[in-house]
C-alpha cells in the first residue's frame, strides 16, 4: 500500500489523507519524511480542520470528560445517537496531562478550554493529546468572579481567550465595571481592551458561547437582560435580539453551529431550548422543549443529532438523551464513565494548542 500511495500524485495523496481521522494521521507521520511534512503543513491542517468542522459533512462528534485527574472520550454518531457507548481513557504524554480540571468551557475547532482549581486556563487538544497552560491575566484581580470565552478570529487566523472580570472599586472611586482582557495564542500574551458596558455578574460565572466569529453571554443593561456578543475581529460588544421576554436567567450554548438559549422551567419540569436558525435574525428563533421525569440541579445541552435527538449533561454525573419523536428522555449508558465529571464536546483536528508565530 505504501508503494501504491507514493506513486500517486501529491494532490490525490493530500485529498485522501485529509479525510482520515487524527489517530490515523498521527501514525502516518511515521511513514516517510514527505508524509510527515505534508501532514504537518498548515494548509493540510486547515483543510482537515474545515472538513471536520463542517456541520453538513462531519459525521462524528465526540464528548470529552474529565474527573479532575483523568480524561475520557466518547464517540457520537451525529446521524443517530446510540443509547450505549464506551468511554475511552485518553493517555497523555508525560507533562501533557491537564490535571485538576474544575470546568470544561466550550470548545472551538476541536480545542477545549479548561479551567483548573486555581483558575488557570489550559487549552487541550484531546485528539493529539497536547495541552498548553496559559498564564494568568495580569488584569484579573479576583479570578473567581470571572467569565471566560474561547474562539477563533479569522481576520488574523488566531485563537483568542477572553477574560471578563467583575470588580468593585466603590471604596476608591465609587465605580464598578467589567474589565476585559484578551489572550492571543500566537503571541502567548494578554492585553486589555475596553470594559464591557454590560453587567456580566448578575447571572454568576458562565462560559461564552462561540458562533459566527463572536462570543456570547447573557448579561444585563439597566433593568433589561440582553444577549451580549463580543466580535473577536474588532473586539467590540453588541447585542443580539432575544427569543422571548421571559428568558430571564437563561444560559447559552451552541448546537450544530447555531446559537441557543436554554431555560430550565419547573412547572412543569422541562427545558426550553431556543435555536437561532439564522444568526442575528430575531424571527429565526425556534423553540423545542425537552421533558424529563427526574429533577436535576442543572442541565446543559451538549449536542444535537441530525434526527433531532438532544444530548444533555445532567447534574454533573449523568448524560441524558432526549428523543423529540418519542417525547422521552433516557440516561445514556456509557461503559467506563466516571462517577463525577466535567464534560464538553469537540471534533477531531490537528491544530496544536502550542502553535505560535
Amino acid at each position: 500500500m505504501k508503494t501504491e500511495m507514493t506513486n500517486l500524485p501529491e494532490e490525490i495523496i493530500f485529498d485522501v489523507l485529509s479525510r482520515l481521522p487524527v489517530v490515523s494521521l498521527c501514525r502516518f507521520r511515521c511513514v516517510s519524511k514527505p508524509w510527515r511534512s505534508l501532514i504537518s503543513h498548515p494548509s493540510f491542517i486547515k483543510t482537515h480542520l474545515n472538513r471536520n468542522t463542517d456541520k453538513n459533512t462531519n459525521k462524528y462528534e465526540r464528548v470529552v470528560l474529565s474527573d479532575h485527574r483523568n480524561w475520557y472520550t466518547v464517540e457520537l454518531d451525529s446521524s443517530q445517537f446510540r443509547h450505549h457507548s464506551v468511554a475511552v481513557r485518553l493517555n497523555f504524554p508525560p507533562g501533557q496531562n491537564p490535571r485538576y480540571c474544575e470546568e470544561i468551557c466550550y470548545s472551538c475547532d476541536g480545542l477545549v478550554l479548561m479551567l483548573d482549581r486555581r483558575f488557570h486556563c489550559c487549552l487541550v487538544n484531546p485528539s493529539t493529546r497536547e495541552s498548553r497552560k496559559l498564564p494568568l491575566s495580569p488584569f484579573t484581580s479576583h479570578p473567581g468572579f470571572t467569565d471566560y470565552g474561547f474562539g477563533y478570529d479569522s481576520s488574523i487566523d488566531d485563537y483568542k481567550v477572553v477574560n471578563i472580570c467583575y470588580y468593585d472599586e466603590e471604596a476608591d472611586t465609587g465605580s464598578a465595571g467589567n474589565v476585559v482582557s484578551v489572550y492571543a495564542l500566537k503571541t502567548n500574551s494578554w492585553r486589555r481592551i475596553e470594559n464591557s458596558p454590560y453587567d456580566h455578574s448578575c447571572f454568576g460565572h458562565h462560559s461564552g458561547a462561540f458562533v459566527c466569529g463572536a462570543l456570547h453571554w447573557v448579561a444585563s443593561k439597566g433593568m433589561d437582560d440582553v444577549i451580549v456578543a463580543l466580535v473577536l475581529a474588532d473586539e467590540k460588544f453588541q447585542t443580539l435580539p432575544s427569543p422571548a421576554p421571559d428568558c430571564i436567567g437563561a444560559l447559552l450554548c451552541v448546537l450544530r453551529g447555531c446559537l441557543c438559549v436554554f431555560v430550565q422551567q419547573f412547572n412543569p419540569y422541562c427545558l426550553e431550548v431556543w435555536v437561532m436558525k439564522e444568526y442575528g435574525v430575531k424571527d429565526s428563533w425556534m423553540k423545542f422543549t425537552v421533558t424529563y421525569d427526574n429533577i436535576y440541579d442543572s442541565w446543559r445541552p451538549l449536542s444535537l443529532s441530525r434526527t433531532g435527538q438532544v444530548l444533555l449533561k445532567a447534574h454533573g454525573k449523568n448524560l441524558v438523551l432526549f428523543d423529540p419523536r418519542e417525547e422521552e428522555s433516557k440516561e445514556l449508558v456509557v461503559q467506563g464513565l466516571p462517577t463525577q465529571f466535567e464534560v464538553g464536546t469537540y471534533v477531531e483536528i490537528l491544530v496544536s494548542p502550542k502553535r505560535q508565530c
Side-chain angles (χ1 to χ4, degrees):
M1 177 181 177
K2 177 181 175 181
T3 302
E4 293 175 355
M5 285 292 287
T6 54
N7 289 332
L8 291 174
E10 184 175 336
E11 58 269 21
I12 295 180
I13 297 176
F14 184 104
D15 184 70
V16 171
L17 293 181
S18 65
R19 300 175 187 275
L20 298 180
V22 170
V23 63
S24 298
L25 294 173
C26 290
R27 291 200 304 266
F28 291 164
R29 281 174 173 166
C30 302
V31 169
S32 65
K33 288 184 179 180
W35 277 33
R36 182 179 183 86
S37 176
L38 173 65
I39 295 171
S40 303
H41 197 277
S43 63
F44 180 88
I45 294 174
K46 178 67 71 174
T47 300
H48 185 268
L49 166 68
N50 292 336
R51 283 180 169 163
N52 278 270
T53 54
D54 187 338
K55 66 181 180 180
N56 295 317
T57 60
N58 177 42
K59 183 179 180 182
Y60 294 105
E61 188 175 31
R62 291 180 179 268
V63 173
V64 62
L65 308 107
S66 175
D67 61 1
H68 305 299
R69 288 186 176 272
N70 299 307
W71 289 70
Y72 305 83
T73 183
V74 179
E75 186 177 285
L76 300 174
D77 186 338
S78 63
S79 61
Q80 178 77 27
F81 293 157
R82 299 182 296 269
H83 286 273
H84 293 80
S85 299
V86 178
V88 178
R89 181 174 170 178
L90 300 178
N91 294 316
F92 286 82
Q96 288 294 306
N97 191 351
R99 294 183 178 273
Y100 310 116
C101 174
E102 291 296 324
E103 179 184 354
I104 293 178
C105 304
Y106 293 114
S107 66
C108 174
D109 289 349
L111 295 178
V112 178
L113 179 65
M114 177 204 95
L115 296 180
D116 68 16
R117 61 187 180 185
R118 295 185 177 179
F119 300 101
H120 281 93
C121 293
C122 185
L123 287 178
V124 183
N125 185 331
S127 304
T128 61
R129 315 295 196 266
E130 291 180 289
S131 66
R132 177 178 187 165
K133 190 174 184 178
L134 310 186
L136 283 173
S137 171
F139 310 104
T140 301
S141 56
H142 303 288
F145 299 92
T146 300
D147 282 344
Y148 288 91
F150 174 53
Y152 174 70
D153 182 353
S154 60
S155 68
I156 58 173
D157 185 30
D158 199 7
Y159 293 89
K160 294 179 176 179
V161 177
V162 175
N163 177 311
I164 302 179
C165 179
Y166 178 78
Y167 73 99
D168 190 342
E169 293 183 334
E170 187 173 352
D172 299 324
T173 64
S175 64
N178 293 275
V179 173
V180 185
S181 54
V182 177
Y183 169 90
L185 184 58
K186 286 183 178 179
T187 61
N188 190 32
S189 61
W190 291 90
R191 57 188 174 79
R192 183 172 173 177
I193 64 174
E194 291 185 10
N195 287 10
S196 172
Y198 306 95
D199 183 2
H200 294 256
S201 67
C202 53
F203 298 111
H205 165 71
H206 297 292
S207 302
F210 177 73
V211 64
C212 293
L215 288 163
H216 303 78
W217 297 268
V218 176
S220 63
K221 183 73 170 178
M223 300 297 294
D224 299 323
D225 298 328
V226 293
I227 298 176
V228 176
L230 175 63
V231 181
L232 293 185
D234 60 14
E235 297 177 347
K236 301 294 184 182
F237 285 94
Q238 62 185 33
T239 60
L240 265 67
S242 299
D246 58 348
C247 291
I248 299 174
L251 300 180
L252 304 179
C253 68
V254 178
L255 296 177
R256 297 194 67 78
C258 295
L259 182 67
C260 300
V261 172
F262 60 100
V263 187
Q264 192 163 347
Q265 303 287 1
F266 297 96
N267 188 22
Y269 294 112
C270 66
L271 188 73
E272 291 183 351
V273 182
W274 294 82
V275 182
M276 182 178 265
K277 304 294 288 185
E278 185 176 350
Y279 184 76
V281 178
K282 182 177 178 60
D283 293 340
S284 71
W285 283 109
M286 298 180 62
K287 185 180 77 169
F288 65 87
T289 302
V290 177
T291 57
Y292 54 92
D293 298 324
N294 299 320
I295 304 172
Y296 293 99
D297 290 345
S298 62
W299 286 74
R300 174 182 164 187
L302 295 172
S303 186
L304 179 67
S305 75
R306 291 193 180 99
T307 56
Q309 290 175 299
V310 186
L311 177 68
L312 306 106
K313 169 192 174 182
H315 199 48
K317 62 179 182 180
N318 299 88
L319 293 175
V320 175
L321 283 178
F322 174 74
D323 192 330
R325 294 169 300 183
E326 300 179 5
E327 296 187 349
E328 64 177 2
S329 56
K330 296 180 180 179
E331 185 173 330
L332 180 67
V333 178
V334 182
Q335 182 180 346
L337 189 71
T339 55
Q340 292 280 348
F341 54 83
E342 293 297 316
V343 63
T345 60
Y346 73 102
V347 293
E348 287 196 326
I349 63 166
L350 289 165
V351 176
S352 172
K354 298 178 178 293
R355 77 172 196 170
Q356 291 179 258
C357 288

